[in-house]
């Protein structure tokens, strides 16, 4: 019996069709290919794709999969950069895209209840229209889903002031690999009853359970914001500005650092203007009351002028703010102009070591002969280091892998973390032991085994495969 027959024989397909509606199970090649990739640009074709519409269907699917030992891979929008949604062992992809309703929003309690397939950007616009604010803003917010954001504990540019997805999840409904339905947390901001299973599930990358309902905390929408765009003659002075702005008592809602290589990429794809001597760009956003944002923006400008900035612009309205942010948002697609492929590492270092980290990442690119660009959330030390390469050149691809590994090792040596918001997935699994203590890693594996004894849920993620850990 072939592997495909073993996973999904005729009897199993009939049982799945009994659980699902007539259009909720897809076995055709085209659909399976479409759900076999993510932002890593890798392809693993599943044996089938299902589209449940309620918790009961998810539960029955997992109960069947557990009995038949069929791998199940939960999938939001497939926008992840670490392979978390890839069906690396085949089996069944379970898409949550049809569970996409906002169930309730309470302005009195500042709480919303949603299904996992709600697109993050859509949710933010709905609550914003009610004077409410859901801050987590991953770059993929226009198409990524809240369920995927919770599974990966997505962050974004506002994490510096407002925190990450974990800080807004009050409660969850989760279907465990056995098919059992569990509710964690609740609707209250304070809750210290028992172990915090909600936090255990957030960021578990779909390896412990499938999220079917999310209770989210909301906050009042800030009255105003100002954006300050500054160009510096060196990475070092731009990095120094980051720490000095904090020392002035300013806590920006976002603070993005971009190196010259990224700016040159953007300049090839859209008309942008910056001084010829520019080595780095700093983009700072402050929010709050109308009076306070004027004061904070003035302090940011004062610090940057004092450090010898080359040019500085301050937005006066929303349209200008969006115009200033457009250069930052254009970076990711523009990088493809240098090389068609990239290893996107979202490492985090202590903020005070940001200048040293940027210098080391640049030298790693020189050492391995591949372009390395860096941009990201300087305020919280979360930098997106992109190792660029052409996969059709095997030697360059091999050097890129070595450079990415060097970036990981440098990050850990600086006391940092391998991932600030992308997760581990498959691409970083072999480096996990560089950061996680052996006993802590053993405990994590024990939790996985306890909740998923047959190993059917999102197999091959987070934990290194035997014999494939990072070399000493």
């Amino acid at each position: 019996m072939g592997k495909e027959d073993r996973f999904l024989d005729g009897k199993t397909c009939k049982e799945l069709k009994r659980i699902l509606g007539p259009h909720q199970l897809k076995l055709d090649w085209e659909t399976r290919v479409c759900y076999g990739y993510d932002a890593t640009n890798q392809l693993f074709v599943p044996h089938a794709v299902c589209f449940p519409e309620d918790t009961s269907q998810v539960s029955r699917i997992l109960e069947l999969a557990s009995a038949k030992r069929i791998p199940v891979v939960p999938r939001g929008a497939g926008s992840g950069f670490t392979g978390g949604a890839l069906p690396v062992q085949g089996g069944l992809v379970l898409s949550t895209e049809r569970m996409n309703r906002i169930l309730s929003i309470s302005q009195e309690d500042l709480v919303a209840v949603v299904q996992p397939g709600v697109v993050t950007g859509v949710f933010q616009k709905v609550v914003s229209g009610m004077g409410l604010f859901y801050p987590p803003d991953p770059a993929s917010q226009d198409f990524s889903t809240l369920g995927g954001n919770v599974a990966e504990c997505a962050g974004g540019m506002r994490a510096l002031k407002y925190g990450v997805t974990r800080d807004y999840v009050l409660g969850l409904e989760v279907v465990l690999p056995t098919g059992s339905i569990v509710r964690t947390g609740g609707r209250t901001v304070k809750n210290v009853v028992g172990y915090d299973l909600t936090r255990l599930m957030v960021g578990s990358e779909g390896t412990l359970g499938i999220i079917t309902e999310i209770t989210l905390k909301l906050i009042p929408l800030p009255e105003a914001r100002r954006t300050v765009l500054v160009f510096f003659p060196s990475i070092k002075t731009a990095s120094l500005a980051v720490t000095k702005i904090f020392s002035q008592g300013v806590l920006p809602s976002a603070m993005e650092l971009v190196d010259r290589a990224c700016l040159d990429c953007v300049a090839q794809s859209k008309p942008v203007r910056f001084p010829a001597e520019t080595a780095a760009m700093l983009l700072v956003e402050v929010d709050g009351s109308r009076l306070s944002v004027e004061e904070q923006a003035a302090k940011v400008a004062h610090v940057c002028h004092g450090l010898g900035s080359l040019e500085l612009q301050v937005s006066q309205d929303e349209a200008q703010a969006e115009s200033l942010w457009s250069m930052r948002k254009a970076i990711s697609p523009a990088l493809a102009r240098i090389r068609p492929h990239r290893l996107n590492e979202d490492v985090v270092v202590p903020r005070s070591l940001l200048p040293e980290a940027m210098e080391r990442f640049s030298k790693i690119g020189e050492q391995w002969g591949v372009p390395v660009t860096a941009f990201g959330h300087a305020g919280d030390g979360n930098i997106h280091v992109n190792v660029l390469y052409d996969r059709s050149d095997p030697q360059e691809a091999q050097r890129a892998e070595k450079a990415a590994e060097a970036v990981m090792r440098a990050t850990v040596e600086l006391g940092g973390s391998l991932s600030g918001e992308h997760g581990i997935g498959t691409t970083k699994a072999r480096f996990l032991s560089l950061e996680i203590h052996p006993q802590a890693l053993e405990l994590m594996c024990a939790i996985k085994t306890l909740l998923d004894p047959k190993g059917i849920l999102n197999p091959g993620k987070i934990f290194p495969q035997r014999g494939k850990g990072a070399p000493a």
Side-chain angles (χ1 to χ4, degrees):
M1 182 180 286
K3 189 175 182 181
E4 184 166 350
D5 298 331
R6 178 167 61 84
F7 282 149
L8 286 175
D9 55 23
K11 183 180 177 183
T12 303
C13 285
K14 282 183 180 177
E15 291 184 55
L16 282 170
K17 288 175 181 175
R18 271 198 292 270
I19 295 170
L20 299 160
H23 304 296
Q24 293 175 257
L25 178 67
K26 300 291 183 183
L27 300 168
D28 60 284
W29 175 255
E30 291 79 5
T31 302
R32 289 159 54 201
V33 168
C34 289
Y35 287 81
Y37 73 94
D38 68 0
T40 62
N41 204 23
Q42 299 180 69
L43 177 64
F44 293 87
V45 181
H47 295 101
V49 184
C50 65
F51 303 89
E53 296 178 354
D54 58 43
T55 302
S56 174
Q57 289 184 339
V58 175
S59 172
R60 293 168 65 193
I61 290 168
L62 284 180
E63 190 175 1
L64 174 64
S66 179
K68 302 277 186 179
R69 292 184 177 271
I70 303 170
V72 178
V73 179
R75 181 184 175 97
S79 57
F81 279 103
T82 57
L86 293 175
V88 294
Q89 295 183 15
L92 188 63
V93 165
L94 188 152
S95 170
T96 59
E97 66 189 66
R98 295 190 187 180
M99 300 176 70
N100 60 356
R101 289 186 296 135
I102 298 173
L103 301 175
S104 66
I105 299 174
S106 169
Q107 291 177 291
E108 293 79 11
D109 292 335
L110 295 178
V111 165
V113 181
V114 303
Q115 291 185 319
V118 174
V119 173
T120 305
V122 171
F123 177 67
Q124 288 171 326
K125 287 177 183 175
V126 170
V127 299
S128 175
M130 301 170 70
L132 302 174
F133 190 30
Y134 177 69
D137 60 337
S140 58
Q141 61 186 307
D142 289 340
F143 48 90
S144 66
T145 62
L146 288 167
N149 289 178
V150 173
E152 299 292 328
C153 192
M157 291 182 278
R158 300 185 189 122
L160 168 62
K161 181 174 182 178
Y162 291 106
V164 297
T165 300
R166 174 190 296 121
D167 301 306
Y168 293 86
V169 180
L170 297 175
L172 293 171
E173 179 187 76
V174 181
V175 180
L176 300 180
T178 56
S180 301
I181 301 170
V182 174
R183 281 194 170 272
T184 71
R187 292 174 59 90
T188 57
V189 173
K190 289 185 175 179
N191 183 339
V192 293
V193 179
Y195 294 136
D196 193 341
L197 298 180
T198 304
R199 287 216 164 200
L200 174 64
M201 289 294 169
V202 177
S204 62
E205 304 189 27
T207 62
L208 300 181
I210 295 181
I211 296 162
T212 50
E213 188 179 291
I214 310 162
T215 302
L216 293 169
K217 179 179 75 174
L218 304 171
I219 60 176
L221 187 67
E223 182 183 18
R225 66 168 176 160
R226 283 284 182 275
T227 300
V228 183
L229 177 69
V230 199
F231 297 103
F232 286 94
S234 74
I235 286 279
K236 187 174 182 178
T237 51
S239 302
L240 191 57
V242 172
T243 54
K244 283 194 171 293
I245 287 170
F246 285 110
S247 70
Q248 294 299 306
V250 177
L251 178 58
S253 53
M255 184 180 272
E256 298 289 299
L257 180 65
V258 178
D259 70 7
R260 175 60 184 260
C262 290
L263 293 176
D264 287 337
C265 285
V266 174
Q268 294 178 41
S269 59
K270 62 180 293 181
V272 295
R273 183 186 61 79
F274 51 85
E277 310 94 311
T278 297
M281 180 186 85
L282 194 62
L283 197 56
V284 183
E285 182 175 283
V286 294
D287 66 4
S289 68
R290 295 189 186 285
L291 187 61
S292 71
V293 297
E294 299 299 339
E295 182 183 353
Q296 293 177 76
K299 286 184 177 179
V300 171
H302 178 72
V303 167
C304 294
H305 282 310
L307 289 170
S309 60
L310 298 170
E311 185 177 308
L312 185 147
Q313 303 173 40
V314 182
S315 69
Q316 298 301 315
D317 53 37
E318 282 297 310
Q320 286 186 8
E322 285 303 315
S323 175
L324 296 182
W325 275 104
S326 67
M327 192 181 301
R328 163 65 180 84
K329 293 176 179 176
I331 293 173
S332 278
L335 290 179
R337 291 179 174 273
I338 300 180
R339 292 287 195 281
H341 304 106
R342 61 172 162 157
L343 299 172
N344 183 354
E345 311 299 353
D346 66 318
V347 298
V348 192
V349 297
R351 195 162 50 221
S352 61
L353 297 178
L354 197 56
E356 182 179 345
M358 296 289 279
E359 186 176 351
R360 289 184 68 168
F361 298 152
S362 177
K363 287 182 177 176
I364 286 171
E366 295 172 9
Q367 178 187 354
W368 290 102
V370 290
V372 173
T373 64
F375 66 95
H377 321 312
D380 52 27
N382 184 191
I383 297 298
H384 294 276
V385 183
N386 285 265
V387 181
L388 308 176
Y389 69 104
D390 186 343
R391 196 174 290 164
S392 66
D393 182 342
Q395 290 185 338
E396 186 172 77
Q398 192 174 33
R399 293 200 306 276
E401 291 287 347
K402 292 290 186 183
E405 180 178 339
V407 167
M408 300 289 189
R409 291 184 179 279
T411 298
V412 174
E413 287 170 9
L414 291 169
S417 179
L418 303 178
S419 177
E421 53 193 13
H422 290 174
I424 298 301
T426 59
T427 61
K428 296 185 180 183
R430 71 191 181 102
F431 302 117
L432 199 63
S433 61
L434 294 179
E435 179 176 337
I436 303 295
H437 190 273
Q439 276 67 43
L441 186 55
E442 189 177 322
L443 182 57
M444 291 181 187
C445 291
I447 292 171
K448 167 68 175 173
T449 301
L450 175 67
L451 295 181
D452 186 14
K454 295 181 180 177
I456 64 160
L457 193 55
N458 214 5
K461 311 296 166 60
I462 298 180
F463 305 107
Q465 301 301 297
R466 191 177 296 276
K468 292 187 177 180

